Structures are given as structure tokens and as C-alpha cells.
Amino acid sequence: MSEQIEIFTDGACKGNPGPGGWGALLVFKGVEKELWGGEADTTNNRMELTAAIRALAELKRPCDVRLVTDSEYVMKGMQEWLPNWKKRGWKTAAKQPVKNADLWQQLDEQVNRHQVTWQWVRGHTGHPGNERADQLANRGVEEARSLKHA
């Protein structure tokens, strides 16, 4: 039986594109770990993906993960779109290159290391884990903004 861990992720962007941040809260046996970061010029979707990638990459061994996100983009990508993108060589049904393919490939790699169950929650409705991830993502935005103006 692998270790069970809960992960809450979120991405934020001020302007799309603009300064962005990502945040993740990992909860394991009641112990919490906060992760966050930011980029000076990015999009909301890239930050949502980065949060999930960085959180899963933090796990040193295969785990049983419940990953909670408020991003329908990440959920649909992982549960519906990804298998077809891979079959088509990272092209959409319209034969266009998949947006953010670099991050989707990294997320796919991380997910394959673990047993991941995805759960979607509506953002900004007071869900404690999601609110914490949102705060961390906004901390990442602030850091990205300060880098931009440094």
C-alpha cells in the first residue's frame, strides 16, 4: 500500500499573459508543506499546470495522490484530451499544436510516477485547501512582480 497524500494546487495571473504565480499545498499524515513560485510573463493555464507538476515532482517516491484543483483546463486535459493528443503527436483535433505541450508532457511524466485521483472544486468558494493554494499562488505572483520591477 503506497503512502496517501492530498495535494491542492492553484495558479494565478495578473493580466493574461502577465506576471503569474502557482501554489501547492501538500498534506501527508496531517503534516503540511507549502510550495509556490512565479514567472514574470506567463498565463493562468501555464501556472495551473506548473502547480500540479511542481507538487507531484516534490514527492520522492510513488504515492497514492488525491490532487484537488479548481482548473477545469487541467482536469479535462488529464482526463479527456491527453490520450488523443499523444496519439496525434501533440496535435489537437484541428491538427494544431497543443498549447502548453511542454508542460502537459511534464505533467504526464509526473502523473505516471504516481497513482493520481483528480478532484475538481469550484474556486473561491471557501474550500480550505483550495483557498490556501490560491494564497500561495498569489504569493508567487507578488514575487514575480517584484522580479519584474527589480
Side-chain angles (χ1 to χ4, degrees):
M1 173 70 191
S2 63
E3 316 262 19
Q4 280 202 312
I5 186 160
E6 254 188 328
I7 298 176
F8 302 90
T9 63
D10 200 15
C13 218
K14 303 300 178 216
N16 209 7
W22 59 270
L25 175 66
L26 287 68
V27 184
F28 175 66
K29 292 183 178 167
V31 177
E32 296 182 348
K33 180 168 193 174
E34 296 181 334
L35 304 171
W36 70 91
E39 290 177 26
D41 193 26
T42 187
T43 65
N44 199 56
N45 283 341
R46 288 188 72 80
M47 291 294 91
E48 294 281 2
L49 287 164
T50 300
I53 293 162
R54 300 292 284 271
L56 291 168
E58 192 69 16
L59 307 176
K60 303 296 178 238
R61 57 185 175 274
C63 294
D64 191 353
V65 178
R66 185 166 74 100
L67 199 148
V68 181
T69 177
D70 64 5
S71 170
E72 292 189 59
Y73 176 69
V74 171
M75 283 287 290
K76 284 198 167 106
M78 289 310 297
Q79 295 182 319
E80 297 171 29
W81 307 331
L82 194 80
N84 291 325
W85 288 341
K86 287 165 91 169
K87 275 186 212 138
R88 291 191 292 254
W90 296 95
K91 296 273 193 285
T92 65
K95 309 273 188 285
Q96 295 303 307
V98 170
K99 279 192 180 125
N100 304 316
D102 57 331
L103 295 179
W104 284 115
Q105 288 163 1
Q106 289 175 47
L107 182 54
D108 188 40
E109 249 171 63
Q110 290 301 329
V111 165
N112 288 334
R113 296 175 47 226
H114 307 287
Q115 189 63 50
V116 180
T117 306
W118 296 88
Q119 184 184 339
W120 182 79
V121 294
R122 186 174 299 285
H124 313 289
T125 53
H127 184 287
N130 180 251
E131 294 293 333
R132 292 274 302 281
D134 179 60
Q135 289 164 1
L136 293 166
N138 282 304
R139 192 183 298 180
V141 171
E142 290 311 313
E143 288 184 8
R145 276 185 167 157
S146 61
L147 290 174
K148 202 170 188 172
H149 299 298

